[in-house]
Amino acid sequence: QVQLVESGGGLVQAGGSLRLSCAATGGTFSNYAMGWFRQAPGTEREYVAGISRSGSSEYYADSVKGRFTISRDTAKETVYLQMNNPNPEDTAVYYCAARVGVKATPENEYDYWGQGSQVTVSS
């Protein structure tokens, strides 16, 4: 069973940049497709981005496409979310998730979740 730990959250100014990391332990990282989700207060959790098991395919929500980039480092067993040009609407708790499978789309079900990392974007 894989454990996921997010880091890198914090306060960032609108238009700046921030990189979230998610370290995976206790499993074979290359077996998992990885995703990032977020949840703002009073809203449902929403999909942000995903990366396939091989790293060859990336998926993005329309709201972040062109601004955020997901990547993975198999040697470090870590997945990243590079957030460029964030805006206050991106303020949320960001969660890393893993699933046993090839793809990491919004329609997939995810098996493992991290504890979340708060990102606050100031205007």
Side-chain angles (χ1 to χ4, degrees):
Q1 180 170 338
V2 65
Q3 290 81 44
L4 305 172
V5 178
E6 300 96 337
S7 62
L11 178 65
V12 60
Q13 283 194 329
S17 64
L18 192 71
R19 189 176 78 161
L20 300 180
S21 301
C22 172
T25 59
T28 303
F29 185 66
S30 58
N31 286 347
Y32 299 98
M34 303 295 294
W36 284 97
F37 293 75
R38 67 187 182 187
Q39 187 169 21
T43 69
E44 294 187 354
R45 186 173 61 197
E46 65 173 355
Y47 178 90
V48 175
I51 188 165
S52 63
R53 186 173 62 189
S54 68
S56 61
S57 297
E58 300 168 20
Y59 315 87
Y60 296 96
D62 289 342
S63 59
V64 306
K65 199 172 295 183
R67 300 187 299 122
F68 292 7
T69 302
I70 188 170
S71 62
R72 64 190 294 159
D73 186 327
T74 299
K76 295 182 179 180
E77 298 187 319
T78 300
V79 63
Y80 303 97
L81 184 69
Q82 179 67 43
M83 304 171 60
N84 293 333
N85 194 25
N87 56 59
E89 289 70 39
D90 296 317
T91 295
V93 177
Y94 283 72
Y95 297 91
C96 174
R99 62 178 300 270
V100 179
V102 175
K103 296 182 178 180
T105 68
E107 294 75 28
N108 293 133
E109 288 195 12
Y110 290 77
D111 304 299
Y112 306 101
W113 294 85
Q115 81 289 349
S117 181
Q118 175 70 47
V119 172
T120 302
V121 184
S122 63
S123 57

